[in-house]
Amino acid sequence: MNKHVSPEDCCLIVIPCLNERNYIGALLNGLSTELQAPGWRIVVADGGSKDGSQDIIKAASAIDPRIIFLDNPKRLQSAAINLAVARYGRGFEYFVRMDAHGQYPKSYCQQLIADAEMTAAASVVVALETTGFNTIQKAAAIAQNSKIGNGGSAHRNLSRGGYVDHGHHALMRVSAFLAVGGYDETFSHNEDAELDFRLRKAGYKIWISGTTSMVYHPRASVGALFCQYLNYGRGRARNIRKHRTMPALRQMLPLTVAPAVAGTVLALFYWAAIVPAFAWAFTCIGYGFYLRVRQQMPHGPLAGLLAMVMHVAWSTGFWLEMLSLGPRRGVS
């Protein structure tokens, strides 16, 4: 095990950014206030923001020299992390990946370091506490926090801590990251799960923290949510094709959604063809009303509908990729 790292010791923080003016300033201000040790470095790798995010980052850098603006010409999150770690990470034992639109508790980074030291894990991942502001976000958060939306995924539920196969990326040992080659930059989505596969294959361990987590804000429109899950489905399919693996059990049922919906056209000739899609829709909508009545969640019915959007998009993206149809890459 490595030497003990105290909360005053430092690591590299990497924040991929693309058009995040509503969030990036508050995140950098919070980090600048909390991380008092001079050895910390905060690299914001910007993929060409056009909304004023770059001005906010550069202004923060002028005030706090520990904040570094880094141009990310490839735009992808995977490329942003690789570039930042390659350029600034070799002097650090750890780096922490943060989302520009996420919210983090105090001592988040220090707790991740403590978890890494306690477990000797190569990667410490966290659970997501999903919350929203507008109606769509609130309903999407309910869907993503529920089993009908996340299928029981470990990082979508608060954890007591333990070794896992995959989770939302937070802290990673620089040496392990470089040893397996970093993120695969051909992945615009699901690059974290793909890297986790290679980490485990190389014998490294992944620990999900039971002492800290982050707050995540879902997409604020139905269209953006659909595109996000379409790309998630494509990313998962690319991961399966690359490593010749099978989908997890919790992913099997969503895979059937797009074929079931497409199969409803056969109801013109055989009425039973509509049954699978009807059963799926009834389950999602019924679960939404259950949340409204039994769990006192006013956005429950809409959450059921958004779960349907997520399922259709994810399944469609998966099959498009498996059949090699449509674009193979996209920007996160």
Side-chain angles (χ1 to χ4, degrees):
M1 181 177 292
N2 296 318
K3 69 178 180 67
H4 176 68
V5 178
S6 70
E8 289 74 30
D9 286 337
C10 56
C11 71
L12 176 70
I13 295 175
V14 183
I15 307 172
C17 180
L18 180 62
N19 297 324
E20 298 284 3
R21 67 177 181 182
N22 293 330
Y23 302 101
I24 189 63
L27 176 59
L28 292 176
N29 182 63
L31 289 172
S32 183
T33 301
E34 181 181 350
L35 304 177
Q36 297 297 323
W40 289 86
R41 289 293 179 271
I42 304 166
V43 178
V44 186
D46 186 84
S49 295
K50 303 297 184 183
D51 67 341
S53 295
Q54 293 191 4
D55 294 334
I56 296 172
I57 300 164
K58 292 174 181 178
S61 178
I63 296 172
D64 187 343
R66 297 173 303 170
I67 299 173
I68 301 168
F69 174 87
L70 178 64
D71 181 50
N72 172 28
K74 294 183 180 179
R75 305 189 73 194
L76 297 174
Q77 292 184 3
S78 53
I81 305 294
N82 287 350
L83 181 61
V85 173
R87 190 166 297 183
Y88 298 102
R90 295 185 184 274
F92 295 92
E93 184 171 1
Y94 304 106
F95 76 88
V96 173
R97 171 177 174 170
M98 285 186 158
D99 297 320
H101 53 272
Q103 291 182 342
Y104 299 87
K106 289 186 180 298
S107 301
Y108 176 78
C109 297
Q110 293 91 332
Q111 187 58 60
L112 293 173
I113 294 174
D115 283 347
E117 289 294 302
M118 177 186 70
T119 63
S123 174
V124 178
V125 298
V126 295
L128 299 177
E129 298 181 59
T130 309
T131 63
F133 298 108
N134 67 20
T135 298
I136 296 296
Q137 282 185 314
K138 290 178 180 178
I142 293 172
Q144 291 173 353
N145 288 333
S146 69
K147 287 189 176 181
I148 201 171
N150 65 45
S153 176
H155 66 277
R156 288 290 185 175
N157 300 278
L158 293 181
S159 170
R160 295 182 179 180
Y163 291 104
V164 294
D165 290 339
H166 170 57
H168 186 79
H169 280 190
L171 175 143
M172 198 169 298
R173 294 182 188 271
V174 172
S175 59
F177 182 80
L178 295 176
V180 299
Y183 288 110
D184 184 338
E185 295 182 11
T186 66
F187 279 68
S188 66
H189 293 75
N190 210 234
E191 78 283 351
D192 50 356
E194 193 281 327
L195 177 56
D196 284 345
F197 181 92
R198 286 185 282 120
L199 283 171
R200 298 195 318 274
K201 187 176 180 180
Y204 294 108
K205 292 183 178 180
I206 301 169
W207 175 267
I208 186 166
S209 177
T211 56
T212 193
S213 60
M214 65 163 289
V215 175
Y216 171 79
H217 303 301
R219 297 296 190 267
S221 70
V222 176
L225 188 69
F226 182 91
C227 290
Q228 180 186 31
Y229 274 80
L230 186 77
N231 285 319
Y232 280 170
R234 282 199 175 109
R236 174 55 61 181
R238 293 204 64 225
N239 203 339
I240 289 171
R241 291 177 66 178
K242 177 178 178 178
H243 296 292
R244 301 179 184 275
T245 58
M246 290 292 293
L249 182 61
R250 64 183 177 83
Q251 296 164 344
M252 292 293 192
L253 284 177
L255 287 181
T256 67
V257 170
V261 172
T264 58
V265 298
L266 297 177
L268 295 172
F269 310 99
Y270 181 57
W271 69 269
I274 202 173
V275 172
F278 177 82
W280 159 71
F282 181 82
T283 300
C284 291
I285 294 172
Y287 189 79
F289 277 97
Y290 165 81
L291 293 174
R292 173 65 180 90
V293 175
R294 297 300 297 271
Q295 303 294 326
Q296 299 298 306
M297 295 180 177
H299 297 96
L302 181 56
L305 293 175
L306 292 184
M308 293 175 64
V309 171
M310 291 154 52
H311 293 167
V312 169
W314 192 90
S315 182
T316 300
F318 182 93
W319 290 114
L320 286 176
E321 181 63 35
M322 291 300 287
L323 297 172
S324 298
L325 300 175
R328 300 293 298 273
R329 293 182 59 177
V331 177
S332 298

